[in-house]
Amino acid sequence: MSPFGTSLRTEVGGVDLDTPVIVASGVWPMDPALWPEGSLDGVGAVCSKGLTLKPRDGNPGCRIVETYSGVLNSIGLQNSGVDHFVAQELSAFSFAGRPIIVNIAFETLDDLVETVEVLKGSALKISALELNVSCPNVTRGGMTWGIHPESLESAVTAARRAWNGILWVKLSPQAPSVGEFAELSQGCGAEAVVVGNTWLGMAIDNERERPFFENVFAGLSGPAVFPLALRAVWEAAGAVEIPVIGCGGISRPQDALSMILAGASAVEVGTALFVDSRLPASICRELERHLREKGLSSVGDLVGRARR
Amino acid sequence: MSPFGTSLRTEVGGVDLDTPVIVASGVWPMDPALWPEGSLDGVGAVCSKGLTLKPRDGNPGCRIVETYSGVLNSIGLQNSGVDHFVAQELSAFSFAGRPIIVNIAFETLDDLVETVEVLKGSALKISALELNVSCPNVTRGGMTWGIHPESLESAVTAARRAWNGILWVKLSPQAPSVGEFAELSQGCGAEAVVVGNTWLGMAIDNERERPFFENVFAGLSGPAVFPLALRAVWEAAGAVEIPVIGCGGISRPQDALSMILAGASAVEVGTALFVDSRLPASICRELERHLREKGLSSVGDLVGRARR
Amino acid sequence: MDSGMGKPGSPADRKGSLVFSRKVGENCRHIAVELSEATAPSAPGQFFLVREWGVFDPLLGRPLASTVSGNCRLEFLFQVTGRGTSRLASLTPGAALELRGPCGNGFPAPVGEKLLLVAGTLGIAPFLGAVSALGEKVDVTAVLGVPGRGWEPFTEWCEDKIPGIRLNSDDGSLGRRGDPVEDSLTLVGPGRELWGCGPEAMLRELGRAYEKGCEKVLVSLERRMGCGIGGCLSCSITTPSGMKRVCVDGPVFDWREVFGEPLRN
Amino acid sequence: MDSGMGKPGSPADRKGSLVFSRKVGENCRHIAVELSEATAPSAPGQFFLVREWGVFDPLLGRPLASTVSGNCRLEFLFQVTGRGTSRLASLTPGAALELRGPCGNGFPAPVGEKLLLVAGTLGIAPFLGAVSALGEKVDVTAVLGVPGRGWEPFTEWCEDKIPGIRLNSDDGSLGRRGDPVEDSLTLVGPGRELWGCGPEAMLRELGRAYEKGCEKVLVSLERRMGCGIGGCLSCSITTPSGMKRVCVDGPVFDWREVFGEPLRN
Ligand SMILES: Cc1cc2nc3c(=O)[nH]c(=O)nc-3n(C[C@H](O)[C@H](O)[C@H](O)COP(=O)(O)OP(=O)(O)OC[C@H]3O[C@@H](n4cnc5c(N)ncnc54)[C@H](O)[C@@H]3O)c2cc1C
Ligand SMILES: Cc1cc2nc3c(=O)[nH]c(=O)nc-3n(C[C@H](O)[C@H](O)[C@H](O)COP(=O)(O)OP(=O)(O)OC[C@H]3O[C@@H](n4cnc5c(N)ncnc54)[C@H](O)[C@@H]3O)c2cc1C
Ligand SMILES: Cc1cc2nc3c(=O)[nH]c(=O)nc-3n(C[C@H](O)[C@H](O)[C@H](O)COP(=O)(O)O)c2cc1C
Ligand SMILES: Cc1cc2nc3c(=O)[nH]c(=O)nc-3n(C[C@H](O)[C@H](O)[C@H](O)COP(=O)(O)O)c2cc1C
Ligand code: FES
Ligand code: FES
């Protein structure tokens, strides 16, 4: 049971959440036994690591570099493949007792459909599918799906046909217009959009005079990107009727509140968990405090309030 | 005289520089009498505040908000207009004894051409014109010029026709493809591209439940954006033959070196001067140190070395 | 362009080390900083951008008026209001700081012999240096306003530094009940100069001193700042005579320069 | 999946306060931290992600092996190699820290009675706790390698903590001339267990101990880390038995798990 009041309950894109705070994909163990003390408090749902049809070792070489108030990562979708996920990882994962959002990535539409088919065979509940069209760290597939309108359309349509459960689309902030891409996802039948993923950046090792990452580019996340993500959320929320889930740089409780005031129905937290495993609980307290202060009764009342 | 050796001398896009470190537009006084002790050391050139045809009061309300390792600004091109600049400000500005890069912004192509005409009438030397097609803080003109290929083309072409001196184009990182826009600028006759300006972000005042800035969006700069700017520079440098001038988030001497290794021929520093007025000198020392370490004789040898 | 205010010493960036950091009540701190190298001497009302050394979060220096400035030593009094000041308040002796200053135009030496200082809470900071600097030469009266109970450590600290300071509090729990403007208006008159520092609404009210025959009212303004030296235009204000930068055209302005001609009845 | 290494205490995030920070030569620091609340006891080889509290630049905690861990007190020994550690080194007593740990699998209690510890410079850190924890029960010999002159304060500090530690330096200026691997190979043999911590090239060389009949070689690896708890896959390594995470599957691994079967001649 959530230690937080019913005022934080909300339904977002077809998923019932005790709190609007979701653990973002790829940053936290799927096995709750590995979670630090107290870190499950306030968590409304958990996203899986990005899954692919086949197991992947991920990228060679350096995978993480710290930047000013941020991190660049180039994990490259290391995962054990969807079969292993359904057969092994999902049951431990379910122990968290929170709705599970399965994040999937793909190189081809056939991959995508096949991956969905495997997930359909799962006996354990999958609350939503999060279609990752925005991973900047793979040379084939990944972000390229999310920065061209036609490819986004084909991917969301294919996922929509293959999956009769809830479908979320995790958009790329590299898209030329986040609002337009959110609308497109809505048009293709997504129940919610997640805005967004990491931002394309890079780092250079001056001594060796070459890029730190084998793939040259990597994805920037963490506090640094918060103002950019907030703007992207504002744009998306102005463009669609379906819920927008805000993601990017949320690092303090106030940031989550800002995202919600900007129009997000829920938030995902990622990198900040590296430095504060109790952030979800702190966010919940901040939301409750703000509701009380403004005399409001439900977190839903806060969504988009800064747009009035 | 520069206290730095000849190894830092370079010619960038038609401008001879004692050092490759340029003070970016809009962050530093044009009157050198206001510069803190030691802050002219190592400066190779100085950009003017963004000028417009007519004087502008800039944006009302809050103009700057700090973010994690960054600042959002919404100055809105406050300036006294190009006539006043030529008549009054330019002479004090020239006292810095450094090449002067005049940054101009415009709402219409007619504005642009008229502004250039006024500048042509200046008796004092203008080393280059920096065409700002990337200011996110004005509702008309500004960034909109820099995010559509056709409008960028028309602006650069108009500036090129009107101005027979050196022309630099300061690109927007909001452009869908920085490389393509750099190429376009080259095709229209620019001598160099500056990559780039601030990144579109926003901030919300949670207590008042509304955006901090009257214009909602504002421009993000400072350390936070460095990895993004570095990537943009890498992309641009891979796309054009003309020099790329790197700008965005350079905060420590190493960052400037990284930019140059990524392909920048020179760098502009902005926000970091708010916290360290001696950064240009430190950058020069770092470049000299690196040249010695690698047994190279000129900063030109470093340009793009991480791309090999 | 030249506001005619106290001539600025040229600002410089200096590294400093925290000498002490003392709590003055719940929310305020009195700190001393030892500089690696001297800055220009600062006049009352001039300020420094103060930040932790070497980290970029929080990024910007916070403008603080130096309450005491010696050769290589500066003291500040500040309130914890947000992220930057709470960070500064958490530092322990020996911590490395970066300071830019002295910035802006301070209060010019008073023309008359009678000076009235009006401060809202932390607005007292720039006056602490003034009182000792002016010493015997000028007859100085200081008026301070605070919200009320809870501010005792702060008011006691101020009373210690400025003996005879007149206290006012909203609820009458400390000193007189009332606001410092009303109190100061009972004291002004021809031949008395008035300096104010505090919330903008309070400063505006000080314009009423002109009605009482006061000829010179100077106020110190606050704005969020970027560069602190007149380059970024973050701190611009609209005045009857055009746009002004609080950091270099101020922070000390003639009241009329900011608020226009006072209404006289 | 289970590497069979020393069972981890469950990690938690704790706030701590710096008790002391002592220089150990030019570039190293010995610090003690007082926690607000106890963590699980940590085994030698387990580590904490250590960062300054409340600021996001530098952002990530730096993995440091706890050299001493009591109920609410932890000690660390670290070298200043970059931005995060130089920041940590600049903090003064009272500074607020955040710590996540104990993370990972430490060294399991040795099976035999003779243990050989081989460290390259700061690789000694995880062994400091081990030596006192194992006490009389096990016959421990420690071998340390350093570059040479300049490292005296560090080696003296280590000699003080681990009496009888065998010194090696590249140039022979401190202790034996040579590297710690060669030195340790003169000591290993059947019945002796070997633990190594230091540069990866050194750890790989330790595989030669198998040739000498040594049956158990454990090594502690380093990788850049994000979460420290197995979630982000930043610290993955490719091993003969698939991808492993240094933070939770290690940092202590059986040599063969990492490097495969040793070559025997
Ligand atoms: C010339 C000048 C002298 C000052 N002298 C003193 C002094 O001696 N003692 C003292 O306690 N305070 C002084 N202030 C006010 C002090 O600078 C702000 O309280 C401080 O910057 C707020 O920082 P923060 O991190 O606490 O707040 P933030 O978290 O940054 O913001 C909290 C609040 O502070 C305000 N604020 C934020 N940044 C600034 C800024 N740069 N300038 C002004 N207000 C800001 C915001 O409007 C916000 O409401 C002075 C301000 C100026 C302009
Ligand atoms: C399990 C473990 C235990 C450790 N215990 C100790 C110890 O007790 N004492 C000690 O001095 N050092 C220890 N280290 C190494 C220490 O974590 C790094 O030296 C430190 O993180 C570097 O941070 P920096 O800010 O100085 O360097 P940065 O500026 O971040 O980088 C400088 C160099 O350090 C390396 N580095 C950066 N981040 C990490 C990281 N997270 N992990 C490993 N290397 C990194 C980089 O490759 C780079 O070459 C340990 C590392 C691990 C993984
Ligand atoms: C190490 C790391 C791994 C990630 N892996 C994935 C992934 O597998 N799938 C995905 O959709 N997003 C992935 N992300 C992106 C995050 O889920 C999140 O969208 C992004 O980091 C921005 O949010 P943040 O700033 O709160 O971290 C990853 C991020 C990091 C830092
Ligand atoms: C306060 C402020 C004002 C600026 N004004 C201008 C301007 O007038 N014209 C322009 O081209 N860029 C302007 N910029 C952008 C900077 O020149 C620079 O391109 C940008 O800030 C990124 O670099 P930085 O991170 O080093 O600051 C401004 C930036 C700031 C912070
Ligand atoms: S703070 Fe930059 S002009 Fe005043
Ligand atoms: S550091 Fe995140 S998995 Fe190891």
Side-chain angles (χ1 to χ4, degrees), chain C residues 62-63 65 77-79 81-85 125 222-225:
Chain C
R62 296 305 195 258
L77 179 72
F78 66 91
Q79 187 175 5
T81 53
R83 203 153 173 255
T85 47
E222 297 190 2
R223 278 298 177 279
R224 287 169 185 255
M225 288 181 183

Side-chain angles (χ1 to χ4, degrees), chain A residues 222-241:
Chain A
V225 307
F226 177 70
L228 305 175
L230 185 64
R231 184 264 304 164
V233 165
W234 180 279
E235 289 185 337
V240 293
E241 306 291 319

Side-chain angles (χ1 to χ4, degrees), chain B residues 24-26 49-50 73 77 103 132 170 196-198 221-222 247-249 270-271:
Chain B
S25 172
K49 169 70 195 165
N73 90 76
L77 293 174
N103 180 286
N132 174 359
K170 186 165 177 184
N197 208 310
T198 54
S221 63
C247 177
T271 306

Side-chain angles (χ1 to χ4, degrees), chain B residues 85-209:
Chain B
F85 175 78
V86 169
Q88 308 271 329
E89 294 166 316
L90 189 53
S91 69
F93 199 8
S94 301
F95 263 93
R98 299 291 189 280
I100 289 177
I101 316 298
V102 174
N103 180 286
I104 59 169
F106 49 95
E107 288 182 11
T108 65
L109 292 180
D110 287 345
D111 283 3
L112 166 58
V113 172
E114 252 188 275
T115 307
V116 172
E117 290 305 327
V118 178
L119 291 171
K120 275 161 126 175
S122 160
L124 289 157
K125 178 161 180 181
I126 292 171
S127 294
L129 206 69
E130 186 179 62
L131 195 66
N132 174 359
V133 290
S134 43
C135 178
N137 294 325
V138 289
T139 34
R140 301 184 52 197
M143 190 183 87
T144 49
W145 288 109
I147 57 174
H148 305 293
E150 319 76 49
S151 52
L152 179 70
E153 196 166 350
S154 64
V156 181
T157 304
R160 182 67 294 168
R161 280 210 197 108
W163 178 251
N164 19 28
I166 303 294
L167 176 67
W168 295 357
V169 179
K170 186 165 177 184
L171 294 174
S172 172
Q174 271 74 233
S177 156
V178 178
E180 195 185 304
F181 281 61
E183 228 186 310
L184 204 61
S185 308
Q186 170 179 271
C188 298
E191 269 92 2
V193 284
V194 180
V195 175
N197 208 310
T198 54
W199 300 72
L200 207 57
M202 74 175 287
I204 284 181
D205 182 337
N206 287 351
E207 286 323 301
R208 291 166 60 234
E209 296 185 321

